[in-house]
Amino acid sequence: MADYRLETSWRPIEGGFGRLNFTLFNLSSEPLSGFLLAYTSETRVADKHVCDGGSLKRQVAHFHEVRPPEGLSVPPGGHWQFTVEGLTREPKHVTSGVKSAYLTLGDGRHLPVGFGDLLLEGRNGGAAPPLLPPGRAEEPYSLLPWPLALGLKAGELPVVLYPAERTRPEAVKTLSLVLSLHQRLYPAENVPFSLCAAEGGRAIRFVTESSIAAFAYELRFTAHEIVLSSADAAGLHYGLISLAQLMHGARTDREHFRFPSFGTIADQPRYNWRGCHLDVARQFYSVADVLRLLDILAWNKLNIFHWHLTDDEAWRLEIKTYPQLTETGARRGPDEALVPQLGDGAETRSGHYAQEDVRRIVAHAASLHIEVVPEIDIPGHSTATLLSLTGLVDGQEAPDSYRAVQGYPNNALNPAVEFTYEFLGKVFDEMVTLFPGEYFHIGGDEVASGAWLSSPLCTALMEREKIAGTAELQSYFLKRIKTMLSERGKKLAGWNEVSHGGGVDRDGTLLMAWEKPAVGIELAQQGYDVVMTPGQAYYLDMAQAEAWSEPGASWAGHAPPEHTYAYEAEGELPDALREKMLGVQACIWTENFLSRAYFNRLVFPRLPAVAEAAWTPLERKDWDRFAAIVRMWPVL
């Protein structure tokens, strides 16, 4: 138990974003004096603020360090209280408060401080509604995403499914891979498949049928066998996952779900891009966690893993040419170059993926028909990079001459520093050996208004190239990056701001519309390929209800699972532009995910909801059926 505890509350006030009240309790047996209190919170203190009972000594983005009044001594059992007015935004949810806290004593020691929820004063926080109804499955088959066409009659549950005699080795191997997937996801459940014939089981006969579309499959159930037809390995894989799902539901909930005895399933995905993004910069996830998430994506028939490997808070990918990127940029702590953020306390936290880790993850994804799209977020969101390699900084640029929306000063790679391109070229050279997929994601989002304008090197570049302003500077930078990627056989993917300032060549460029749905239509009209990932529906860190007690972020409002499920990404997209929309993607931003419990509460069941939107046509979706099935689905 910590010897110190910090309690916080927030009260709305007229004409501002309210008042935060902090109370530090000394639960130790010694008086506390000569200390600093540090805490991290997404509810940031603004430059213009009033701190009563203390003073803000230092702030870096979400990190705040507060000095008590001169000579203050907190006796054992006593407390120190201070308030802050002048915030950058109004807190909306219980998780808008403190995410970590510690004390720094006069001798340099750092001591942990316990903390609780952000309490609400002077207002009713509302009641959180149920997020998932009991559900109702009129057709008793547990398939998620729901297939394109289905006509089945229920029968007896077989003991196990097995390959028919003389099944070709590739089909047996795929069956074994899906069997292993099921065992990893449901280790306490009986297996759905056996490689050997078994009494009481049913045989699967595999047929290669060239007339079936790519990624599609057909299942035909007869009295004696199940016929699985497909044209390619992916279709075979998805068909076997459907059989495993049918077995799982019929065993898990025998009252509501059955296994088919007769009939057919004809199925294929609605979109080719069915993605899930994971931010590992804000919170680090172990190799085992990433492998588990890939298994969950495969079970939900998602086929893209967008791996957000760098941000202001950390650089997570080993680059052998520049070991400083992970030696410095993957460590946050009180005595590190990167100060604590978003849940970091008195102890240094670190984590990165060695290249061997990456190869293992990419190979595992490939075995599940998932492509890994790595993201190196540039030119903004680069604090960890710039602190690791100081040669990337224009030394003549005034510090704190601009700030990103998250509060980081001067956090963008400088387009006029030639070392920037040498550095990124060597990073890309190593990444090409690790990631065989089609796309590299380069971020391109949230470069601060006014970035680089006080850099003498950029001023000279703008005069030389006839460039005006930050957006055109970013376009200049990203055009060079696109050329570098093309030389290495890769296509550029990025967030929707890549289109700003003139954007980049549309050919071979994929942009993700995140700010609002209308942005995706605008990008398609400009000629870009588009993936829809709007924060209002597909950002899985958003709170799921308006109530104060619900955890999560709030900038895009709140997104109940039913809203995420029902959301139609195509929206008002004209028919003529449909071919520009490649698909949809869920995004897991991890600022709020301080525990596995929070991760699972926010990500599920919304991730399977996006998966069904990515696979199942609108007219085949059914919220009540989804709710009945998804409660049996795996979580991290």
Side-chain angles (χ1 to χ4, degrees), residues 474-554:
Q474 172 167 299
S475 175
Y476 167 87
F477 170 81
L478 291 176
K479 285 173 181 173
R480 288 188 65 172
I481 297 304
K482 182 170 172 64
T483 298
M484 292 167 65
L485 291 178
S486 297
E487 291 168 351
R488 291 161 175 82
K490 299 297 180 183
K491 294 180 180 179
L492 183 149
W495 303 109
N496 53 246
E497 295 98 318
V498 168
S499 66
H500 293 179
V504 299
D505 183 4
R506 277 61 167 163
D507 186 40
T509 298
L510 167 68
L511 299 187
M512 295 182 175
W514 69 272
E515 289 182 283
K516 56 185 177 180
V519 169
I521 299 172
E522 295 166 9
L523 294 174
Q525 289 170 337
Q526 293 172 32
Y528 290 105
D529 287 337
V530 179
V531 166
M532 298 293 280
T533 177
Q536 295 77 7
Y538 289 172
Y539 269 33
L540 305 188
D541 60 320
M542 290 297 122
Q544 297 179 89
E546 193 172 8
W548 180 268
S549 60
E550 277 295 311
S554 60

Side-chain angles (χ1 to χ4, degrees), residues 60-107:
V60 181
H62 311 290
F63 170 84
H64 303 75
E65 194 170 47
V66 181
R67 186 193 305 277
E70 189 72 28
L72 177 76
S73 180
V74 184
H79 62 270
W80 161 51
Q81 190 171 47
F82 65 95
T83 62
V84 178
E85 289 182 29
L87 308 173
T88 58
R89 67 171 65 169
E90 180 179 305
K92 300 285 188 181
H93 296 280
V94 66
T95 43
S96 300
V98 168
K99 291 191 171 4
S100 62
Y102 64 90
L103 300 176
T104 299
L105 304 185
D107 60 7

Side-chain angles (χ1 to χ4, degrees), residues 24 31 50 125 156 216 256 259 304 329 357 361 374 377 387 414 432 476 482 519 531 605 616:
L24 177 69
V50 176
E156 293 300 313
H256 296 104
F259 193 83
I304 299 289
D357 297 330
I361 287 166
D377 200 350
L387 288 175
N414 193 310
V432 164
Y476 167 87
K482 182 170 172 64
V519 169
V531 166
T616 307

